[in-house]
Amino acid sequence: MQLWSGILSNNAAKVRMVLAEKGLDYEVINIPWTKKNRWYPKPERFLALSPRGQVPVLVDDGLVIHD
């Protein structure tokens, strides 16, 4: 299971808490953030999963849940 996240995302933090509470194994992939560029450019792999380009995105065995 993969969780696309951002270091400043409260919504992604909520998903991490639920996954931890359930004891599920997952990999976190953080969208790079810098003060200068903010969240841009976003990785193409991420944009293919998230139509709006927003986190969190959870990928589990081919199932993609975004927003």
Side-chain angles (χ1 to χ4, degrees), residues 3-19:
L3 174 63
W4 287 82
S5 182
I7 59 171
L8 301 176
S9 172
N10 290 329
N11 291 333
K14 292 175 188 177
V15 174
R16 286 193 306 271
M17 285 188 276
V18 170
L19 292 172

Side-chain angles (χ1 to χ4, degrees), residues 4 45-57 64 66-67:
W4 287 82
R45 275 181 37 207
F46 170 70
L47 292 173
L49 298 171
S50 178
R52 297 166 135 183
Q54 296 177 339
V55 295
V57 175
V64 179
H66 54 84
D67 296 332

Side-chain angles (χ1 to χ4, degrees), residues 4-52:
W4 287 82
S5 182
I7 59 171
L8 301 176
S9 172
N10 290 329
N11 291 333
K14 292 175 188 177
V15 174
R16 286 193 306 271
M17 285 188 276
V18 170
L19 292 172
E21 184 70 26
K22 291 185 170 282
L24 298 172
D25 291 328
Y26 62 98
E27 170 191 9
V28 175
I29 304 171
N30 280 309
I31 304 299
W33 186 87
T34 63
K35 190 172 182 178
K36 178 182 176 186
N37 295 329
R38 307 289 178 187
W39 301 105
Y40 298 97
K42 293 179 181 174
E44 291 297 322
R45 275 181 37 207
F46 170 70
L47 292 173
L49 298 171
S50 178
R52 297 166 135 183

